[in-house]
Amino acid sequence: MRKDLWGRRGAATRQAKQIKGLVGRLSIAVVALVICTLWLFSTIGLNRSSDEAKDINVDKLWGPATSGGWRPSSAPRSYWPPPPKESNGYLRVRCNGGLNQQRSAICNAVLAARIMNATLVLPELDTNSFWHDESGFPGIYDVEHFIRSLRYDVKIVESLPEISGHGKKKKMKAHQMNPPRDAPLSWYTTTALEKMREHGAIYLTPFAHRLAEEIDEPEFQRLRCRVNYHALRFKPHIMKLSSEIVNKLRAEGHFMSIHLRFEMDMLAFAGCLDIFTPEEQKILVKYRKENFKEKELVYRERRLIGKCPLTPEEVGLILRSLGFDNRTRIYIAAGELFGGDRFMKPFRTLFPHLENHNTKKARRECPRTRRFSSRLHGMPLIKTFMPTYDGPSNFANNLMGHRLYYGFRTIIQPNRKALAPVFMDREEGKGANFEERVRNVMARTKFGEPHKRVRPESFYTNSWPECFCQAAPKDPKDKCPPDNVLEVLESQMESEGSGGLEEANVSDRTGTVVTKGT
């Protein structure tokens, strides 16, 4: 009896061990199957990416990107009352930084004046911090066009008025304030508005990035687009000089513009020092200590997360991998490149047809380039644009925004983080399939198509979908309004008792406004 019991127990134990072994083997098999499945999918993905890379058509990159039926429309879509006859006071701002940073600040100033029901004094442009260009707003932009284009949105005056006191007249004094960076709308409707009502005028300085970019109200975002893409127009002689340079280049065939952000300030900011000589590194370290917060930066780590600007040679290798040949004509939009000609020489070997505003040809077309360098940074209105470092680069961000708004013009925007291991492998002698790997990364580029804005992408880089519409949309809210915006806004101003104004030439502001009660 006991022997049978032990026999049954032994059999049960052996069976349990067999089952346990079977489960173990099945687990291993399942894990192997999962790994193989993942490998298979990744292989399919790589093959698809490779196929996409082969489908990149260089000829198509000279034309606009696919729009998906979208077109720009920054006109109001809902009731948009005219500025009140009596404002809450005057708003002065001092826009600091380079021309493109100042441009964004002007858009923010108009929006701030709108939400505060304030009269905007023509924005002041900082002339000392970087460009040392004393042109100011009236020397760069068409003031009359600016004021006339925005008359349905805000009241704008060229200077603060004079006030009478003790039998004398003197210029009104504005109360100076320093707005928080990326301040919410509520700061302007509470803190700033309170001081405006108390003093009659406020002076916000400095005024760069002093209003949050992401705002839930689409009408406010569309106002920014009306300022940026329609109201802010360069003076006629600047437009003429720009057109002459661009037309001269276009007359000889296709050309692209590359914003080669390989300059001392950006390299010092990024902390990408190891590729330079010890003497050059000392210069960059010194510049960084004097201009940026102290922070320990490791070159390889910065490179792998895409924080280093592309070198000129890397730019050339990307273009060659995409299929551009050495006949391609390139306009370099950049300041003085750091590190001398040794960095440009490999690029020039790949693409010998290079132009910039310092070349002999450009200097003949624009003799005032050196004195008014800030103005020229609005010039590359070209067919194909490639930024090599998109943030924090106000020029590249603003230009990409303009190209998106004006017909989805092609943008070749390298993903530096995805490209970093490809370039680092090449530097370490592991350059097999280099061009194919570069094409696989670039195949995932939007090339200027409409796309969802994802942080840290700026609204001034991508104003889709707020400032766009579709003639035949899937969603009714995206439908383009009729083209009677001038008539409706004019009638609203008259009905509000503001009085009619002479018709402005703003035919590019298409759309309509829903009047009260509709």
Side-chain angles (χ1 to χ4, degrees), residues 382-424:
I382 27 67
K383 284 200 170 185
T384 303
F385 174 64
M386 178 179 179
T388 61
Y389 194 79
D390 50 343
S393 174
N394 294 291
F395 168 71
N397 290 339
N398 213 315
L399 185 54
M400 285 191 286
H402 272 75
R403 295 183 65 77
L404 191 77
Y405 189 83
Y406 286 110
F408 302 101
R409 298 174 181 176
T410 297
I411 301 168
I412 301 175
Q413 190 172 5
N415 183 333
R416 295 187 307 280
K417 184 175 180 179
L419 287 168
V422 181
F423 282 119
M424 295 185 83

Side-chain angles (χ1 to χ4, degrees), residues 341-354:
D341 192 57
R342 78 177 186 279
F343 285 101
M344 277 301 295
K345 189 174 181 180
F347 187 22
R348 196 177 293 110
T349 300
L350 292 168
F351 296 95
H353 300 290
L354 301 180

Side-chain angles (χ1 to χ4, degrees), residues 292-446:
F292 306 112
K293 290 183 179 178
E294 191 171 345
K295 184 179 180 181
E296 185 177 350
L297 301 174
V298 179
Y299 171 72
R300 186 175 180 83
E301 294 176 359
R302 301 287 288 173
R303 181 85 185 275
L304 284 172
I305 60 175
K307 294 297 183 181
C308 290
L310 295 171
T311 68
E313 182 182 21
E314 289 168 349
V315 173
L317 291 171
I318 291 171
L319 293 177
R320 190 178 68 180
S321 298
L322 287 173
F324 291 97
D325 59 33
N326 62 2
R327 295 170 296 175
T328 305
R329 297 171 56 252
I330 298 173
Y331 179 94
I332 301 294
E336 184 178 354
L337 300 185
F338 189 77
D341 192 57
R342 78 177 186 279
F343 285 101
M344 277 301 295
K345 189 174 181 180
F347 187 22
R348 196 177 293 110
T349 300
L350 292 168
F351 296 95
H353 300 290
L354 301 180
E355 295 279 359
N356 63 29
H357 67 272
N358 287 321
T359 61
K360 186 176 181 181
K361 180 184 297 184
R363 197 179 300 122
R364 284 201 308 268
E365 296 297 325
C366 184
R368 286 169 284 183
T369 55
R370 294 188 181 276
R371 182 179 174 190
F372 299 116
S373 52
S374 64
R375 299 179 181 183
L376 290 173
H377 276 65
M379 286 193 173
L381 303 175
I382 27 67
K383 284 200 170 185
T384 303
F385 174 64
M386 178 179 179
T388 61
Y389 194 79
D390 50 343
S393 174
N394 294 291
F395 168 71
N397 290 339
N398 213 315
L399 185 54
M400 285 191 286
H402 272 75
R403 295 183 65 77
L404 191 77
Y405 189 83
Y406 286 110
F408 302 101
R409 298 174 181 176
T410 297
I411 301 168
I412 301 175
Q413 190 172 5
N415 183 333
R416 295 187 307 280
K417 184 175 180 179
L419 287 168
V422 181
F423 282 119
M424 295 185 83
D425 282 350
R426 179 178 177 273
E427 291 170 7
E428 294 168 2
K430 295 176 286 186
N433 302 320
F434 171 78
E435 290 195 355
E436 183 181 355
R437 292 175 68 191
V438 171
R439 286 198 303 274
N440 287 340
V441 173
M442 296 304 297
R444 297 188 285 274
T445 300
K446 290 291 183 183

Side-chain angles (χ1 to χ4, degrees), residues 243-255:
S243 297
E244 287 175 357
I245 291 178
V246 173
N247 291 338
K248 182 72 173 178
L249 290 166
R250 279 180 175 169
E252 299 177 15
H254 289 314
F255 76 97

